[in-house]
């Protein structure tokens, strides 16, 4: 052809092979992303045949990361992020330190110098944003408390890695980099200056988004929506997501993913955020596929044959060491076993920042090329295995609960927030309402119950929310409502009604089954936003089901009928009919 079609060829081949291998993976009951990774290996430089443009593929993958993080931001408010800061911030920092220490110790045994070992350990400490979000979405956990903790944890990791990427060139001389001259050696003043500039840039970006972005971005979306153009609306979403992410990277040295995430959080302030999420979903899915293909392209099969024991050690650190560390940290913060296992599985892989950090380490002469190959191979293996590990979380939890008294105690900790205070008025714990969930809907239900002086107890997994409610004098317990102990603490046996304000059919089934076993006469009210789920819940006779869109339409219809009746009463009399001509 008379013109260069490298971009078209890369996209066409990547999508085609991803579709074929993804279907094969699904046929053999494996996650489709395993097929996407295999597609990348097929077109990688290390395998014979067609070789895709790795530079273009990595840039296309970055767009996927931007759109995916933008979508997460659309469903993740600043309040959600602040609600998990007490566990996400210290947890992420300690987990990075543990993983770095394990990687440093392992590579030191191989004879690497201290600088190479530290960089290698840091490469193993940061999880992949895309993999985490895909895993949470596939299990319907993205909006859950466990999902919020995992996402908040990863945001802190991203911020930490931004600092590492800025400081590493400054510290390279002290760490023994071979690519630097003595004149480039770091001084204490240079280190503090680099750290101060980085923190100032990150703070400036966050303040800009909170002050300006929070007001401007929703208005832009509203102005575009007023034009009535579908393509303009979609274009505006992509332009905001990619534009803000690119600006954050160029102007503030913040990662593209973090910039897009903040753009989505600010866009969430718009009433059109749900429509924006739906419009961007196809593009997010398509470009996310390119991310996994690009990861597969980095894999060199030779490292498996040449360094099998080293690779096994690295994979063990990533999938076992990091997981155990995260599980122990979450349990230390007195969260239940299911939260600890979910967060641990979420972090049992490495991704984007690992590749960037490994490449920087090689470029500075700190990390040997062998280390980069081990990081890429471990990333591929851990990403491919992460979906299976995630699927094993619930069976493993059930097995542990059946066989271990310790696991049962960990699932229902001796946590003061998991038990109602002894000062709770006993008269308000009979004939009351047990309200499961205190999100946007649950909060409004609680306000209405309080206004009508109806006693209620809130059951909520988020410990910070429970602590805040108790500070307001509201009876609340922290824990998983799928366990009898939590509902017993809410005095479900004496309750008149159970209200499940979380739109999760699986949770509703399990909770209602336990509640009726403890209180056969209890009335049940359920919430859903899916017509198929609503029909199934009604057929199973689980309780009165409220469908979000249906109730909205009902309320609007009642208002329209009332308004129409009023307008008819005050309407001008109609003109007499015109006699027909014969």
């Amino acid at each position: 052809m008379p013109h260069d079609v490298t971009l078209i060829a890369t996209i066409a081949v990547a999508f085609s092979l991803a579709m074929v291998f993804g279907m094969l993976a699904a046929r053999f009951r494996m996650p489709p992303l395993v097929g996407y990774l295999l597609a990348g290996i097929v077109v990688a430089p290390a395998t014979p045949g067609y070789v895709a443009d790795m530079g273009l593929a990595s840039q296309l993958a970055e767009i996927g990361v931007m759109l995916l993080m933008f979508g997460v931001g659309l469903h993740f408010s600043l309040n959600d992020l602040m609600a998990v800061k007490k566990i996400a911030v210290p947890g992420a920092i300690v987990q990075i330190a543990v993983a770095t220490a394990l990687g440093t110790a392992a590579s030191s045994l191989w004879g690497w110098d201290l600088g190479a070992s530290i960089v290698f350990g840091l490469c193993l400490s940061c999880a992949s944003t895309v993999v985490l979000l895909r895993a949470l979405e596939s299990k319907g956990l993205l909006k859950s408390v466990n999902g919020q903790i995992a996402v908040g944890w990863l945001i802190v990791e991203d911020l930490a890695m931004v600092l590492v990427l800025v400081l590493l060139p400054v510290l390279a001389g002290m760490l023994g980099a071979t690519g630097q001259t003595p004149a480039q050696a770091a001084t204490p003043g240079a280190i503090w200056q680099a750290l101060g500039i980085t923190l100032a840039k990150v703070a400036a970006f966050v303040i800009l988004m909170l002050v300006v972005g929070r007001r401007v971005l929703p208005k832009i979306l509203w102005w575009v929506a007023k034009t009535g153009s579908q393509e303009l609306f979609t274009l505006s979403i992509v332009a905001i997501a990619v534009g803000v992410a690119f600006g954050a990277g160029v102007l503030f040295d913040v990662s593209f993913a973090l910039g897009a995430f903040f753009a989505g959080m600010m866009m969430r302030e718009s009433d059109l955020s749900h429509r924006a999420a739906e419009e961007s979903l196809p593009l997010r899915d398509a470009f996310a596929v390119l991310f996994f293909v690009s990861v597969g392209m980095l894999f060199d099969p030779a490292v498996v044959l040449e360094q099998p024991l080293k690779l096994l050690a690295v994979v063990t650190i990533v999938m076992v060491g990091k997981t155990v560390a995260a599980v122990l940290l979450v349990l230390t913060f007195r969260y239940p076993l299911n939260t600890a296992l979910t967060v641990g599985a979420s972090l049992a892989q490495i991704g984007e920042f690992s590749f960037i950090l490994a490449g920087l380490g090689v470029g500075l002469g700190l990390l040997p090329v062998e280390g980069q190959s081990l990081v890429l191979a471990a990333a591929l293996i851990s990403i491919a295995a992460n979906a299976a590990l995630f699927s094993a979380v619930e069976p493993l939890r059930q097995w542990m609960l059946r066989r271990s008294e310790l696991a049962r105690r960990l699932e229902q900790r001796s946590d003061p927030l998991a038990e109602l205070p002894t000062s709770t008025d006993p008269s308000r714990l009979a004939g009351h309402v047990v309200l499961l969930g205190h999100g946007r809907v649950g909060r409004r239900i609680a306000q209405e119950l309080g206004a009508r002086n109806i006693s209620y107890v809130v059951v909520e997994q988020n410990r910070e929310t429970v602590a805040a409610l108790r500070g307001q004098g509201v009876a609340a317990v922290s824990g998983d409502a799928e366990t009898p102990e939590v509902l017993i603490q809410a005095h479900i046996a004496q309750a008149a009604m159970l209200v499940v304000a979380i739109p999760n059919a699986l949770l509703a089934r399990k909770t209602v089954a336990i509640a009726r076993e403890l209180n056969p006469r209890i009335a049940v009210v359920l919430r859903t936003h899916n017509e198929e789920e609503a029909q199934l819940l009604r057929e199973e006779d689980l309780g009165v089901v409220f469908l979000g869109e249906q109730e909205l339409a009902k309320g609007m219809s009642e208002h329209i009928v009332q308004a129409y009746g009023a307008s008819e009463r005050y309407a001008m009399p109609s003109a007499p009919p015109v006699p027909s001509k014969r």
Side-chain angles (χ1 to χ4, degrees):
M1 297 182 70
H3 54 278
D4 188 11
V5 291
T6 306
L7 175 61
I8 298 174
T10 301
I11 294 176
V13 173
F15 279 149
S16 300
L17 289 177
M19 180 188 70
V20 172
F21 283 102
M23 290 177 64
L24 288 174
R27 184 177 181 84
F28 289 98
R29 298 175 181 251
M30 291 187 293
L33 69 85
V34 175
Y36 308 154
L37 294 168
L38 290 175
I41 296 174
V42 170
V43 298
T47 54
Y50 173 80
V51 178
D53 190 312
M54 294 185 65
L56 286 175
S58 63
Q59 290 189 48
L60 293 170
E62 282 285 3
I63 297 176
V65 174
M66 293 178 196
L67 294 174
L68 193 67
M69 289 301 290
F70 179 76
V72 173
L74 284 171
H75 297 97
F76 203 90
S77 70
L78 189 61
N79 292 334
D80 294 334
L81 191 59
M82 297 305 293
V84 297
K85 67 180 185 298
K86 291 182 180 179
I87 181 174
V89 174
I93 293 172
V94 174
Q95 185 252 313
I96 288 173
V98 171
T100 302
L102 291 174
T104 301
S107 53
S108 297
L109 295 176
W110 303 334
W112 295 8
D113 58 38
L114 181 61
S117 298
I118 292 175
V119 173
F120 185 72
L122 286 169
C123 291
L124 305 185
S125 67
C126 45
S128 167
T129 302
V130 179
V131 176
L132 169 70
L133 298 178
R134 278 301 180 104
L136 293 174
E137 284 182 333
S138 67
K139 297 298 179 182
L141 297 174
L142 189 56
K143 298 181 181 179
S144 67
V145 173
N146 294 349
Q148 290 175 359
I149 292 173
V151 172
W153 194 302
L154 208 66
I155 295 301
V156 177
E157 276 193 2
D158 284 355
L159 287 170
M161 288 303 111
V162 168
L163 293 176
V164 170
L165 291 173
V166 172
L167 291 175
L168 190 60
V170 180
L171 298 171
M174 294 176 58
L175 296 174
T178 59
Q180 288 196 331
T181 64
Q184 294 174 300
T187 63
I191 296 172
W192 285 109
Q193 182 181 9
L195 181 61
I197 292 173
T198 302
L199 292 175
K201 286 183 176 181
V202 172
F205 170 71
V206 173
I207 292 171
L208 181 66
M209 294 303 296
L210 292 177
V211 176
V212 179
R214 201 170 191 172
R215 293 172 173 82
V216 174
L217 295 183
K219 287 184 179 179
I220 292 175
L221 202 62
W222 177 251
W223 292 334
V224 173
K226 285 175 67 177
T227 65
S229 172
Q230 180 74 24
E231 60 269 23
L232 267 180
F233 188 83
T234 305
L235 177 62
S236 68
I237 297 167
V238 177
I240 290 171
V242 178
V244 172
F246 180 74
V250 172
L251 301 176
F252 300 97
D253 289 332
V254 175
S255 68
F256 291 151
L258 203 61
F261 175 76
F262 270 92
M265 276 209 306
M266 299 306 101
M267 191 70 79
R268 191 179 188 272
E269 302 298 320
S270 170
D271 294 333
L272 300 168
S273 60
H274 291 288
R275 181 183 169 189
E278 292 175 1
E279 295 286 342
S280 62
L281 184 60
L283 282 172
R284 281 160 40 202
D285 288 343
F287 279 98
V289 170
L290 289 175
F291 167 79
F292 292 107
V293 174
S294 69
V295 172
M297 291 173 64
L298 296 170
F299 180 62
D300 183 3
V303 73
V304 179
L305 301 175
E306 296 172 358
Q307 304 288 348
L309 295 180
K310 290 183 180 179
L311 180 58
L312 178 62
V314 175
V315 173
T316 302
I317 291 172
V318 172
M319 299 199 65
V320 179
K322 286 178 61 178
T323 301
V324 171
V327 168
L328 293 177
L329 282 168
V330 175
L331 291 176
T332 301
F333 281 90
R334 309 190 72 84
Y335 277 84
L337 181 64
N338 72 86
T339 300
L341 293 175
T342 301
V343 174
S346 300
L347 303 172
Q349 33 77 19
I350 54 176
E352 309 91 280
F353 272 110
S354 302
F355 311 147
I356 299 170
L357 191 55
L360 180 62
V362 172
L364 292 171
L366 279 170
L367 185 69
V369 177
E370 177 192 356
Q372 186 180 32
S373 299
L374 287 171
V375 168
L376 297 177
L380 181 74
I381 294 171
S382 63
I383 288 173
N386 190 251
L389 183 63
F390 232 95
S391 299
V393 167
E394 185 57 26
L396 175 63
R397 171 176 165 267
Q398 295 295 340
W399 181 84
M400 293 174 67
L401 291 176
R402 287 194 303 269
R403 294 175 176 266
S404 171
E405 177 62 30
L406 175 62
R408 288 190 288 272
R409 288 202 302 269
L410 290 174
E411 183 64 26
Q412 183 57 44
R413 310 293 301 277
S414 57
D415 182 356
L417 294 179
E419 301 177 358
L420 278 180
T422 55
S423 58
T424 306
D425 186 357
S427 64
R428 300 186 67 83
L429 297 177
H432 60 290
V433 174
V434 175
L435 176 60
L436 174 56
H438 200 264
R440 288 182 297 175
V441 174
R443 186 165 56 250
R444 287 171 171 78
I445 294 173
Q447 289 172 350
E448 190 66 24
L449 293 174
R452 298 176 182 272
N453 200 29
I454 298 175
S455 302
Y456 65 94
V457 176
V458 175
V459 177
E460 170 64 55
Q461 275 194 298
N462 192 314
R463 299 178 76 255
E464 284 75 16
T465 300
V466 172
L469 288 172
R470 290 192 179 183
Q472 300 166 12
V474 176
V477 294
S478 171
D480 185 358
E482 297 179 28
T483 57
E485 293 86 351
V486 174
L487 292 179
I488 289 172
Q489 281 297 320
H491 290 247
I492 194 74
Q494 291 81 38
M497 183 177 293
L498 169 67
V499 178
V500 182
I502 302 173
N504 185 323
L506 182 61
L507 172 68
R509 288 190 183 94
K510 293 181 179 180
T511 304
V512 172
I514 296 171
R516 285 182 172 165
E517 186 175 345
L518 297 171
N519 185 350
R521 295 185 300 275
I522 193 168
V524 178
V525 177
L526 306 169
R527 172 199 169 200
T528 182
H529 48 59
N530 184 291
E531 291 187 5
E532 290 76 14
E533 281 189 358
Q535 183 63 28
L536 288 173
L537 294 172
R538 291 188 181 109
E539 289 176 357
E540 295 174 15
D541 192 28
L542 292 183
V544 179
V545 181
F546 286 83
L547 180 63
E549 290 79 1
Q550 196 176 69
E551 296 307 313
L552 176 63
K554 180 180 176 181
M556 291 178 68
S557 300
E558 290 176 353
H559 173 78
I560 292 167
V561 170
Q562 292 175 0
Y564 184 77
S567 64
E568 275 195 328
R569 288 196 300 272
Y570 297 103
M572 294 181 65
S574 57
V578 178
S580 60
K581 295 182 180 179
R582 296 182 179 270

